[in-house]
Amino acid sequence: MNYTEPELKEALIRFDKLLRTCPDRNENVLAYKQFITSFLRVKTKNLTLPTSEIMSVIQHERPSTFYLLKKSMSYDPTFELLTNIDLNYEMASLHLSAIKEHLS
């Protein structure tokens, strides 16, 4: 079943681009923080926003960036919650792939 979720589709494209263009370096923490902040504003109609999956991918693929996000944003309750999500990376990747397929 295909869903029409243009905002989510665009956000997932931006996430893929972010992963390709911003390696796991200290200077890229702001780019990831800005992405997460904008991602949380995405509106969906038929699907749940895959926030846990996004955070799991960042945690696994960009561990230093994730650590710095967690450390620098500990004062923000939303980021505190997001950086404490524990989701299996393989499951998160599979779920994101399935979502992308449904949005095609």
Side-chain angles (χ1 to χ4, degrees):
M1 174 181 266
N2 289 350
Y3 296 104
T4 304
E5 298 283 0
E7 281 189 64
L8 179 56
K9 184 176 182 177
E10 178 59 33
L12 293 176
I13 290 169
R14 285 193 330 266
F15 183 60
D16 287 342
K17 182 179 179 184
L18 181 70
L19 291 173
R20 282 192 318 273
T21 60
C22 293
D24 198 16
R25 294 192 194 128
N26 294 359
E27 61 267 18
N28 292 326
V29 170
L30 182 58
Y32 283 90
K33 178 186 178 286
Q34 289 172 336
F35 170 78
I36 293 165
T37 301
S38 71
F39 186 77
L40 293 174
R41 293 187 186 116
V42 169
K43 303 284 187 244
T44 59
K45 296 176 184 167
N46 300 305
L47 297 172
T48 302
L49 198 61
T51 309
S52 300
E53 290 82 354
I54 293 290
M55 295 308 294
S56 178
V57 169
I58 294 171
Q59 183 178 14
H60 185 269
E61 295 186 14
R62 302 292 185 268
S64 296
T65 301
F66 183 84
Y67 172 76
L68 289 172
L69 271 172
K70 183 174 180 126
K71 186 176 173 186
S72 67
M73 298 303 295
S74 63
Y75 67 88
D76 183 320
T78 302
F79 270 85
E80 178 73 19
L81 176 71
L82 292 174
T83 56
N84 282 306
I85 292 172
D86 187 23
L87 181 63
N88 178 281
Y89 170 72
E90 288 78 19
M91 293 300 296
S93 294
L94 285 172
H95 192 226
L96 278 176
S97 294
I99 291 171
K100 289 175 191 174
E101 186 176 313
H102 287 302
L103 295 175
S104 309

